Amino acid sequence: MTETLRLCLDLNIWCAALLASVKGREGTSCQTLVDIVRQGSCLVGKVELVISWGMLNRLQEVLENRPELQVLRDDAVFYVELIRSYAQLSPQLTLGGTGVIPIEDWDDRHVLETSIAGDATALVTANFRDFLVKDLTVIIPQRHGIYRSANRSFHLVHPYLMMNWINRGEVPPVSEF
């Protein structure tokens, strides 16, 4: 059992949860992960959100500018403020990364650096391919990998697999891979 599950939810998880709600869906993996972060606990134990100001700012920008999400500016501000409040419960709100990871997309690099800086247990993303870097060992293609740097290791995991682990009540230690 993990002492504290420290989750960094990629922006696509937050957007997917909101989009599912807009479409009237309930209980999707992304919605459940957001609920778990909000509650601060799950079958595994205590949960802390790892997120950065840069991620929050980018999420608000995406919400305001993507018509398929149907989010008004005031609603986007409110949603981002709610997420910020989840991080204050822990608290783990980082200022950002160092910019040294070789990923072309700034947003993806920032999310990966936030996971490292925030000592995440897992970075949960539906866009696995965006994080294929030399320090990632792929365990299950498009579903699971282990990111290892000089002083940090964590899971890069698809939301379906993350929910599978949470429902079993155990996130495997990265040392098992």
Side-chain angles (χ1 to χ4, degrees):
M1 182 171 186
T2 304
E3 242 178 64
T4 298
L5 182 59
R6 298 178 55 78
L7 295 178
C8 182
L9 303 182
D10 193 5
L11 301 183
N12 59 68
I13 302 301
W14 298 104
C15 289
L18 186 60
L19 188 56
S21 295
V22 166
K23 291 183 174 185
R25 296 187 184 135
E26 294 181 10
T28 68
S29 292
C30 293
Q31 287 172 311
T32 304
L33 285 164
V34 168
D35 285 344
I36 285 169
V37 165
R38 181 182 49 80
Q39 294 165 5
S41 66
C42 67
L43 292 174
V44 174
K46 182 180 177 188
V47 175
E48 294 179 350
L49 174 62
V50 175
I51 198 163
S52 68
W53 287 110
M55 289 173 67
L56 290 170
N57 291 337
R58 178 65 178 138
L59 179 59
Q60 183 173 334
E61 182 182 313
V62 167
L63 293 175
E64 290 175 4
N65 295 312
R66 294 268 172 96
E68 69 271 20
L69 294 175
Q70 303 174 11
V71 179
L72 301 173
R73 184 186 187 294
D74 288 347
D75 293 337
V77 170
F78 180 75
Y79 189 57
V80 168
E81 184 61 27
L82 274 177
I83 296 167
R84 186 191 59 75
S85 73
Y86 305 157
Q88 286 190 325
L89 298 174
S90 308
Q92 184 56 50
L93 187 61
T94 66
L95 294 175
T98 58
V100 298
I101 297 174
I103 296 180
E104 286 186 33
D105 185 274
W106 183 90
D107 293 331
D108 295 331
R109 180 175 61 237
H110 185 79
V111 170
L112 187 56
E113 290 173 347
T114 298
S115 298
I116 294 166
D119 197 22
T121 307
L123 164 54
V124 185
T125 183
N127 296 332
F128 192 88
R129 70 187 177 285
D130 293 346
F131 296 95
L132 296 175
V133 295
K134 69 175 182 65
D135 294 327
L136 182 74
T137 302
V138 176
I139 308 300
I140 303 171
Q142 302 303 314
R143 292 290 184 255
H144 180 222
I146 303 293
Y147 178 86
R148 288 186 173 91
S149 67
N151 55 357
R152 296 276 190 272
S153 295
F154 57 86
H155 296 280
L156 179 72
V157 62
H158 191 277
Y160 298 161
L161 183 56
M162 188 75 227
M163 283 309 307
N164 182 285
W165 291 343
I166 288 171
N167 289 332
R168 287 190 347 229
E170 181 179 19
V171 174
V174 294
S175 59
E176 288 185 7
F177 298 94

